[in-house]
Amino acid sequence: MDSAIARGPELVPAGSPARRQESRLGWLTVAVLGVACAAIAPALLVFLFAEGFVFLLGDGAATLLSSRWFPTEGVFGLVPLVVGSLLVSLGGLALALPLGLGTAISLCFYLRGGPLRFAEAALGVLGGVPSVVFGLFGTFWFVPRFGPSLASGALVLAAMLTPTLALLALAGLRQLPAGLLLDGARLGLSREQVIARLALRAARPALMGAAVLALARALGEALAVEMVCGNVAGLPSRLTDPVRTLTTTLVQEFEYAQGAHGHALHLVALTIVLLAALTSAAAMRLAARRRA
Amino acid sequence: MRAASFGAAFVVLAFFALLVADVVMRGAAELSPTYLFSAAEEGGRAGGIGPVLVSTLLVVLLATLFALPVAAGGALLCSELLVHRQAWKSLVRRSFEILVSAPSVAIGLIGWSLFGQLFGLGFSILSGAATLAFMLAPLMALAFLAGLEAVPQALRAQSLALGVSRWRTLLNLVIPAARPALVAGVMLAVGRAMAETAVLVLTSGISTRMPQDVFDPGATLAVHVYHLAHNLPGGEPRAYAAALALLLVSALVQLGLARLRVQEQPA
């Protein structure tokens, strides 16, 4: 039975020649469109690599490790941008992680019935709120208090990440075998001990995977952060200092970037893509370890 | 543990109650039928969002139309043509996953250089839709693929055993069986397109004028919120109104998705 499926479309006996031609044309279309679809990602990556390579051949390449980003002077130091991206994203994650994890624990172990369903539905809806709405909210609520700054950026990202993080952590906790928790209870552990010593430890790969996935999303977010982070390229020394990230640089400069500056921006884009790809690859690895 | 976890859940839910209340209260003050359908003045600080809604519709519709056949091809390639070639299949799937998790602003920059500058489209609805399609195609392909793979192989085998060609099996049996998942994939893409800002700020622009054709620029609703709140002093009240409209539309899409999931379950 299986080999009949494996034989492929062109070998299947069919009725009239018209039908056969229809089928051949159909599969050809599928193959062409499918290959086109699969080729998008490699094509875009090649484009970014090529642009980045052109920049590396030029004069600007020597300034890449500078701590200043001044395109008009031909200084393209990526350091402040990478540091800005990492600080804002890690800050957002540091806030979102305890909140998301705590929410997941209370939903998994303490809430029942109506309140549980309500909280879960609310998280689902909130996870779908467009990120620009968080940026707008941050403009009104965080910027007046903390200024356009690292802190405001991290808060906006935390708001954006928490619902999804909570739902992913919840899914991870629910995948634990029920017997594990029962065994813990039978051994005389209190509920608190079962959660802290058994559940959180056993679900660690899933929880780490959720956190890393959130980090990848934070690194890639552009406009919600740009609305509140101040966008001054430099190394911030306080939480209330403005920062500029890789993504916000693209948004601010793409329109007037010429020559080396334009190539530099593609290198910035490549850096974000690689950072995000590295973090999501780490997330996938963690998920795979759980399955094994 | 109990107190701490309840504390966290309370903070999260209270924060979101605040967020929703804030957007609804400030937004509702401005939101009215006239606001929804009249032209924007002073870049959106006065007047309505009629042109923005038209641009949103055009961008989302075109992007979905561009991406749909490609995504269908990608999913069918994996589920039907490469069904017994695991290595190729996982390679193609990986290519979709990379693009889905890629930061959208990078895709936006590529769209700007490629369509905006190289093809000379500048800021235009066509450029925005084409770039957005890069993002939507793999997203839809993965959703379609999940639906197609959920159709049991035995069903296909039975049809083949009756002498029906693989092509006709696909059209008459597999695709109808996977239909709810396919519709859900399209809705997922529409939801993503509605929420997207980074790609579109770089490609279809922030103009609030009524687009005359697809070569004109036009801000979508999400982009309009960004532009009002961030670039226009005094635009914040209107930004809230636009944000409320955006929330309502995305809530509708989510409801539709939830409906489809319920439909899918009994099967």
Side-chain angles (χ1 to χ4, degrees):
Chain A
M1 198 163 73
D2 244 358
S3 65
I5 301 171
R7 217 179 291 144
E10 61 279 16
L11 300 179
V12 167
S16 65
R19 268 285 162 94
R20 207 173 306 162
Q21 198 175 6
E22 175 205 85
S23 143
R24 202 171 299 153
L25 207 65
W27 287 114
L28 190 69
T29 317
V30 165
V32 169
L33 288 172
V35 170
C37 191
I40 297 175
L44 297 190
L45 273 177
V46 165
F47 183 80
L48 280 185
F49 268 108
E51 284 277 338
F53 192 66
V54 170
F55 177 77
L56 291 181
L57 291 180
D59 296 334
T63 63
L64 267 182
L65 294 179
S66 155
S67 61
R68 300 186 325 131
W69 173 269
F70 277 109
T72 45
E73 298 170 19
V75 180
F76 301 101
L78 281 186
V79 177
L81 310 184
V82 172
V83 170
S85 273
L86 287 177
L87 282 178
V88 172
S89 304
L90 289 172
L93 187 63
L95 288 166
L97 201 55
L99 287 172
L101 197 55
T103 307
I105 290 173
S106 68
L107 259 63
C108 186
F109 296 107
Y110 296 115
L111 285 183
R112 291 276 173 277
L116 173 66
R117 272 199 300 277
F118 171 77
E120 226 180 317
L123 288 177
V125 171
L126 296 166
V129 170
S131 61
V132 68
V133 176
F134 293 115
L136 173 67
F137 184 85
T139 312
F140 250 82
W141 290 80
F142 301 147
V143 171
R145 289 170 182 77
F146 310 105
S149 63
L150 172 58
S152 299
L155 282 166
V156 162
L157 281 181
M160 190 185 104
L161 300 178
T162 305
T164 323
L165 190 57
L167 285 177
L168 284 175
L170 181 63
L173 288 173
R174 280 187 178 156
Q175 274 185 357
L176 293 177
L180 179 80
L181 307 179
L182 282 177
D183 286 346
R186 283 193 200 112
L187 287 172
L189 295 179
S190 72
R191 185 142 226 204
E192 261 73 85
Q193 286 168 320
V194 169
I195 295 172
R197 301 215 181 139
L198 289 179
L200 289 184
R201 206 161 289 182
R204 205 158 81 179
L207 301 179
M208 299 261 288
V212 178
L213 215 59
L215 182 64
R217 246 186 98 201
L219 286 169
E221 178 56 43
L223 293 183
V225 178
E226 201 235 347
M227 290 166 86
V228 298
C229 75
N231 299 301
V232 178
L235 299 174
S237 50
R238 278 168 308 173
L239 279 175
T240 50
D241 281 351
V243 286
R244 165 174 272 218
T245 71
L246 291 162
T247 54
T248 63
T249 304
L250 288 188
V251 177
Q252 299 224 315
E253 297 175 4
F254 76 96
E255 204 177 339
Y256 62 86
Q258 300 288 337
H261 189 190
H263 297 306
L265 286 189
H266 285 83
L267 191 68
V268 170
L270 183 63
T271 313
I272 311 170
V273 169
L274 292 181
L275 266 179
L278 272 178
T279 37
S280 11
M284 252 177 241
R285 266 209 120 120
L286 286 164
R289 200 192 302 166
R290 173 184 45 183
R291 246 176 267 136
Chain B
M1 182 69 74
R2 189 189 162 93
S5 77
F6 268 122
F10 178 76
V11 169
V12 171
L13 293 177
F15 174 80
F16 287 108
L18 174 69
L19 178 104
V20 172
D22 186 47
V23 174
V24 168
M25 283 182 12
R26 279 196 234 219
E30 304 271 342
L31 199 63
S32 66
T34 4
Y35 175 73
L36 284 180
F37 298 115
S38 59
E41 291 157 30
E42 298 175 49
R45 269 169 291 192
I49 53 169
V52 173
L53 290 182
V54 172
S55 300
T56 310
L57 193 71
L58 280 174
V59 169
V60 174
L61 193 73
L62 281 178
T64 314
L65 283 180
F66 289 160
L68 190 61
V70 181
L76 289 173
L77 178 72
C78 271
S79 77
E80 313 297 319
L81 291 180
L82 299 179
V83 67
H84 290 288
R85 287 169 213 245
Q86 280 305 324
W88 280 103
K89 194 173 156 182
S90 63
L91 198 68
V92 172
R93 190 194 275 270
R94 181 60 58 86
S95 135
F96 297 159
E97 284 166 354
I98 286 175
L99 209 47
V100 166
S101 63
S104 60
V105 67
I107 298 176
L109 184 73
I110 295 171
W112 162 252
S113 335
L114 201 66
F115 300 116
Q117 298 197 296
L118 206 60
F119 295 177
L121 289 173
F123 288 115
S124 63
I125 285 173
L126 189 59
S127 165
T131 312
L132 198 53
F134 281 157
M135 226 181 90
L136 300 186
L139 184 76
M140 274 199 263
L142 282 175
F144 290 171
L145 184 56
L148 290 168
E149 284 187 332
V151 177
Q153 288 293 334
L155 193 71
R156 294 167 222 229
Q158 283 159 9
S159 170
L160 294 184
L162 291 172
V164 180
S165 74
R166 283 172 57 91
W167 178 249
R168 278 284 144 192
T169 304
L170 178 71
L171 287 192
N172 297 344
L173 215 63
V174 178
I175 289 179
R179 217 187 62 123
L182 303 183
V183 179
V186 174
M187 301 228 7
L188 192 70
V190 169
R192 183 66 76 87
M194 294 287 315
E196 181 54 44
T197 42
V199 164
L200 295 172
V201 166
L202 272 68
T203 52
S204 60
I206 51 176
S207 158
T208 48
R209 261 174 304 171
M210 183 63 88
Q212 301 303 311
D213 54 37
V214 291
F215 300 104
D216 274 353
T220 67
L221 203 45
V223 170
H224 192 53
V225 174
Y226 161 77
H227 182 55
L228 278 174
H230 191 52
N231 296 341
L232 288 180
E236 289 91 347
R238 293 304 172 117
Y240 268 101
L244 180 57
L246 177 63
L247 273 189
L248 290 176
V249 177
S250 34
L252 274 180
V253 174
Q254 298 245 351
L255 271 179
L257 270 175
R259 258 246 155 96
L260 283 169
R261 274 194 208 110
V262 171
Q263 265 180 21
E264 240 173 298
Q265 262 159 8

